[in-house]
Amino acid sequence: MFTLAEENYLKNIYHLQTENSEGVSTNLIAESLQTKPSSVTDMVKKLAAKKVLLHKPYKGVSLTEKGRKVASNIIRKHRLWEVFLVEKLNFHWDEVHEIAEQLEHIQSDELIKRMDAFLDFPDFDPHGDPIPDENGNIKVTEKKLLSELKKNQRGVIVGVKESGSDFLQFLDKRKINIGTKIKVLGKEFFDGSMIIQVRNEQFFISKKIAKNLFIQISEHV
Amino acid sequence: MFTLAEENYLKNIYHLQTENSEGVSTNLIAESLQTKPSSVTDMVKKLAAKKVLLHKPYKGVSLTEKGRKVASNIIRKHRLWEVFLVEKLNFHWDEVHEIAEQLEHIQSDELIKRMDAFLDFPDFDPHGDPIPDENGNIKVTEKKLLSELKKNQRGVIVGVKESGSDFLQFLDKRKINIGTKIKVLGKEFFDGSMIIQVRNEQFFISKKIAKNLFIQISEHV
DNA sequence: AAAATATTTTAGTTTAGTCTAAAAAAATAA
DNA sequence: TTATTTTTTTAGACTAAACTAAAATATTTT
Ligand SMILES: [Mn+2]
Ligand SMILES: [Mn+2]
Ligand SMILES: [Mn+2]
Ligand SMILES: [Mn+2]
């Protein structure tokens, strides 16, 4: 139905569309896919012909309902495979993304259905990202970036924004992971850095780190 | 290192080489890969340039040591994935081949190492085919085609030759699978058909079926 | 040994997906 | 409102992997 290249375009456009609320431009897609704008124009035409996205020349693109379905299914597969790699094969959460990039293109609805059951129908992947259901619906959870919290607010880490190896290993070194409870002890207005409490320890956290951690705020102290 | 197409050529040539003891011809490869001889010639040149096979124009091809390694590793992955699909995801043995055809191309040594351990280091796939080790070595077992057995010989089914759905479902219908013990009650010289005993039942088996079942003969009655 | 047949290779196209360079359109600045 | 800059598209070329048709080589038959 869709080639490997087409699937990767759709997946990336889906992500770009949810991150940047405005239209998705040719240059943005090119950057995201590490390719040239002229290549994007060609592929976008092909995908528009396949009715998975709308292309207004010189304006951006937007996925059709069909396109959203295809894209979210690839993301569903990616995240289920990541859960499998971590939960069943004991991979570390910073090692699974590249392998999942390959596995997400395996074509078999039955395989995914069985994998989902085998993993006990997980809602989130190892990085805290929600796993779309078969219809592309995503469970939305209330979460904020750590950088948005105020002094004395508490919460639990529910996800990471960028899940590159460097960042994940930074967290590991401090035994911070999904599920870890934190409290903001202090916040510096000058550079956005924070002091947070984790268990009995206090950590200095730069703004860059604080902008990469998703927190679910604990309302009742 | 190798493209999808290259991997499929190498795998097929490996199989052809072990089945037909003579050299592997262009037409044979073309038939096996469902492609045209001219396409084979092109690809064979490319693979020869990559030092994974030797090509004597107008004579056949043969894999180099490097080519054998690459090919057997793909077969290793294919068979490990088949074990996974049957043992862990409860797929039926006639449903796994097509999915394994895709999964065999996933590139990650670590993944295969962990999958092997997860499956408890299996020696055979669900169809009784041996799983090559990391170095391409295959455990050779003494086995004969059922068609080669004589009257009154006993044995246990250890594999199937062609593992198409039709044949596997034929076996299922009769509750015959790998591990099933059989005894040859009679053999018809005219058409090669047999009567075999399975548990308390007797089955009439055509020559075609008998040539598709691998048996390990039980020496001591 | 020559003729006929079968196999294999070469030559020239095709398609998907990419690229560079140039043209066109849109956005921004003067 | 022109001029300049940025973004996007078009035009033309390239590679991998396939194809068809024709040429070359090998095999088999007469
Ligand atoms: Mn990922
Ligand atoms: Mn993830
Ligand atoms: Mn198989
Ligand atoms: Mn098999």
Side-chain angles (χ1 to χ4, degrees):
Chain A
M1 196 66 176
F2 293 94
T3 67
L4 183 72
E6 288 170 344
E7 288 197 349
N8 281 330
Y9 270 86
L10 288 173
K11 180 186 62 164
N12 274 273
I13 292 169
Y14 180 100
H15 282 134
L16 291 171
Q17 201 166 266
T18 52
E19 282 155 24
N20 316 279
S21 50
E22 340 78 60
V24 176
S25 73
T26 299
N27 271 0
L28 202 59
I29 299 170
E31 191 192 12
S32 160
L33 273 144
Q34 311 249 64
T35 184
K36 302 294 165 185
S38 53
S39 306
V40 173
T41 302
D42 284 350
M43 180 59 94
V44 152
K45 281 183 190 165
K46 230 178 57 167
L47 292 172
K50 283 195 168 189
K51 312 278 188 200
V52 283
L53 53 76
L54 296 176
H55 180 218
K56 299 206 187 88
Y58 290 101
K59 308 290 169 187
V61 304
S62 59
L63 294 177
T64 62
E65 185 54 32
K66 190 181 166 198
R68 253 190 305 278
K69 281 264 173 65
V70 173
S72 65
N73 193 240
I74 297 163
I75 293 163
R76 170 172 164 78
K77 289 192 280 182
H78 182 105
R79 293 180 178 166
L80 280 172
W81 277 113
E82 285 190 343
V83 174
F84 168 74
L85 294 172
V86 167
E87 296 292 316
K88 301 295 183 180
L89 299 193
N90 301 118
F91 274 98
H92 197 264
W93 69 341
D94 74 330
E95 301 172 314
V96 298
H97 179 76
E98 292 308 314
I99 303 177
E101 285 288 304
Q102 299 179 59
L103 287 164
E104 73 190 4
H105 301 289
I106 301 294
Q107 309 275 14
S108 167
D109 290 346
E110 188 62 27
L111 174 61
I112 289 309
K113 191 176 280 180
R114 285 173 190 245
M115 186 61 83
D116 191 27
F118 184 57
L119 300 172
D120 213 14
F121 310 102
D123 289 322
F124 299 95
D125 86 357
H127 312 104
D129 292 313
I131 298 173
D133 69 17
E134 318 79 50
N135 305 310
N137 302 314
I138 287 183
K139 198 163 283 183
V140 188
T141 55
E142 197 63 48
K143 67 185 180 188
K144 283 189 171 172
L145 288 173
L146 173 53
S147 57
E148 299 174 84
L149 297 219
K150 296 182 197 118
K151 188 174 173 181
N152 287 324
Q153 274 194 302
R154 293 159 178 276
V156 55
I157 296 175
V158 294
V160 293
K161 191 150 182 251
E162 313 273 328
S163 52
S165 261
D166 286 350
F167 178 54
L168 298 183
Q169 281 167 20
F170 167 93
L171 296 179
D172 285 336
K173 213 176 291 171
R174 290 158 183 76
K175 300 219 194 311
I176 295 173
N177 41 51
I178 289 173
T180 299
K181 288 176 194 160
I182 60 111
K183 179 182 177 186
V184 179
L185 297 181
K187 192 171 178 182
E188 200 58 64
F189 279 96
F190 179 61
D191 63 356
S193 65
M194 289 176 149
I195 309 266
I196 62 170
Q197 171 145 5
V198 174
R199 292 173 293 265
N200 299 324
E201 293 173 85
Q202 295 183 8
F203 289 120
F204 171 83
I205 295 283
S206 75
K207 187 181 187 176
K208 185 165 181 187
I209 300 293
K211 283 196 144 188
N212 259 321
L213 283 169
F214 285 119
I215 308 292
Q216 186 161 39
I217 295 171
S218 313
E219 297 299 347
H220 328 285
V221 185
Chain B
M1 196 68 175
F2 293 95
T3 67
L4 183 72
E6 288 169 345
E7 287 197 349
N8 281 330
Y9 269 86
L10 288 173
K11 180 185 62 163
N12 273 274
I13 292 168
Y14 180 101
H15 282 135
L16 291 171
Q17 201 167 263
T18 53
E19 283 155 24
N20 316 278
S21 49
E22 339 78 61
V24 176
S25 72
T26 299
N27 271 359
L28 203 60
I29 298 170
E31 191 192 14
S32 160
L33 273 144
Q34 312 249 63
T35 184
K36 302 294 166 183
S38 55
S39 307
V40 173
T41 301
D42 284 350
M43 180 58 94
V44 152
K45 280 183 191 167
K46 230 179 53 166
L47 292 173
K50 283 195 168 190
K51 312 277 188 201
V52 284
L53 53 76
L54 297 175
H55 180 216
K56 301 207 186 84
Y58 290 101
K59 309 290 169 187
V61 304
S62 59
L63 294 177
T64 62
E65 185 55 32
K66 190 181 167 199
R68 253 190 304 278
K69 280 263 173 66
V70 174
S72 65
N73 192 241
I74 298 163
I75 292 164
R76 171 172 165 77
K77 290 191 278 182
H78 181 106
R79 293 180 179 165
L80 280 172
W81 278 112
E82 285 190 344
V83 173
F84 168 73
L85 295 172
V86 167
E87 296 292 315
K88 301 294 184 180
L89 298 193
N90 302 118
F91 273 98
H92 196 264
W93 69 341
D94 74 329
E95 302 171 314
V96 297
H97 179 76
E98 291 308 314
I99 303 176
E101 285 288 302
Q102 297 180 60
L103 287 164
E104 73 190 5
H105 301 289
I106 301 294
Q107 310 275 15
S108 168
D109 291 346
E110 188 62 28
L111 174 60
I112 288 309
K113 191 176 280 181
R114 286 174 188 245
M115 186 61 82
D116 192 27
F118 184 57
L119 300 173
D120 212 13
F121 310 103
D123 289 321
F124 299 95
D125 86 356
H127 313 105
D129 292 314
I131 298 172
D133 70 17
E134 318 80 49
N135 306 309
N137 301 315
I138 287 184
K139 198 162 284 184
V140 188
T141 54
E142 198 62 47
K143 67 185 180 186
K144 285 189 170 173
L145 288 173
L146 174 53
S147 57
E148 298 173 82
L149 297 218
K150 295 181 197 119
K151 188 174 173 181
N152 287 324
Q153 274 192 302
R154 293 158 177 278
V156 54
I157 296 175
V158 293
V160 294
K161 189 146 182 255
E162 313 273 329
S163 52
S165 261
D166 286 349
F167 179 52
L168 298 183
Q169 281 167 21
F170 167 93
L171 296 178
D172 285 336
K173 213 177 292 172
R174 290 157 183 77
K175 299 216 194 315
I176 295 173
N177 41 52
I178 289 174
T180 299
K181 289 177 194 159
I182 60 111
K183 179 182 176 186
V184 178
L185 297 181
K187 192 172 177 181
E188 199 58 63
F189 279 96
F190 180 62
D191 64 356
S193 65
M194 291 176 148
I195 308 267
I196 63 171
Q197 171 144 5
V198 174
R199 291 173 295 264
N200 299 323
E201 292 174 84
Q202 296 183 7
F203 290 119
F204 171 84
I205 295 283
S206 74
K207 186 180 188 177
K208 185 165 181 186
I209 300 293
K211 283 196 143 189
N212 258 321
L213 282 170
F214 285 118
I215 309 292
Q216 186 161 39
I217 295 172
S218 313
E219 296 301 347
H220 329 284
V221 184

